[in-house]
Amino acid sequence: MTTTTSTAGTLRPVPTGALNLARTTATAARVLRQLRHDPRTIALMLLVPCVMLFLLRYVFDGSPRTFDNIGASLLGIFPLITMFLVTSIATLRERTSGTLERLLAMPLGKGDLIAGYALAFGAIAIIQSALATGLALWFLGLDVTGSPWLLLLVALLDALLGTALGLFVSAFAASEFQAVQFMPAVIFPQLLLCGLFTPRDNMHPALEAISNVLPMSYAVDGMNEVLKHTDMTAAFVRDALIVASCALLVLGLGAATLRRRTA
């Protein structure tokens, strides 16, 4: 536990240990209230993945099997990308505006703050994933062998991973423009190496080794398991656990890098 100076000039404790449910939910509620007054951000998070899937379906209008082969993978990748972008910019905006500075001067732990942001954006991710999955399966005719609920689960985990990555990289950007610049460094290499364009075992051994430690690779693998198998496989469980573990790890790193910018 650390201390900070109150307005009366006395030291008071600032919790940095275990999460506090009340503080976490209060932070999440504040973020959701702010998002409610930002319809463009809500539209970006909820509608852009659906629009991209819609365009993809009719790009391959003459080859429905191609859409079936890559549509499931992109159903997870599109939410990851949009949540990364929105979360990193929204969090950085609060850093640069001084909101996070004021919050960290209150009796609010770093873990509470990061968990609150993750909870708020996670709620949006649930809606986003449900909309994109429903559109792909019941309107665009995406043909998958496995359960739609498993497809939704992976899409949600991918969106949560994008949220965690966005929270983490916002600590290293000084402006919203710099936050956007992290996308080529963090997202694009994963996109190229995840197995979307070619099986990972066909890549150069060095690139295959790199892809084996990137979370997006397991997101694509999990989607492919649902695409090909009727039941939940051991490989699917492994892939889902890896994506979820990576999201939790990155959230922990985000809390560790969260600090006041002034003394």
Side-chain angles (χ1 to χ4, degrees), residues 72-73 75-77 79-80 129 133 148-161 218-226 236 239-240 243:
S73 298
L75 181 60
I77 291 175
L80 189 156
S129 301
T133 302
W149 293 107
L150 296 181
L151 207 64
L152 175 61
L153 174 62
V154 181
L156 175 59
L157 290 176
D158 292 344
L160 293 176
L161 176 62
Y218 297 95
V220 170
D221 287 349
M223 287 295 192
N224 287 335
E225 288 294 312
V226 180
F236 173 85
D239 296 333
V243 175

Side-chain angles (χ1 to χ4, degrees), residues 16-17 19 95 104 109-115 164 167-168 171 248-259:
T16 57
L19 294 178
R95 290 179 185 271
L104 289 175
K110 295 180 181 180
D112 298 323
L113 196 60
I114 289 293
L167 287 170
F168 176 63
L248 291 175
L249 174 62
V250 175
L251 284 176
L253 292 174
T257 59
L258 187 65
R259 61 177 60 91

Side-chain angles (χ1 to χ4, degrees), residues 27 30 94 98-108 113 117:
T27 301
R30 180 187 62 80
E94 296 218 324
T99 301
L100 284 180
E101 184 80 7
R102 293 189 294 271
L103 289 172
L104 289 175
M106 298 170 61
L108 184 69
L113 196 60
Y117 277 88

Side-chain angles (χ1 to χ4, degrees), residues 200-219:
R200 291 192 287 129
D201 54 10
N202 290 345
M203 298 178 185
H204 186 279
L207 295 181
E208 182 184 359
I210 295 174
S211 73
N212 288 336
V213 298
L214 298 177
M216 192 183 290
S217 300
Y218 297 95

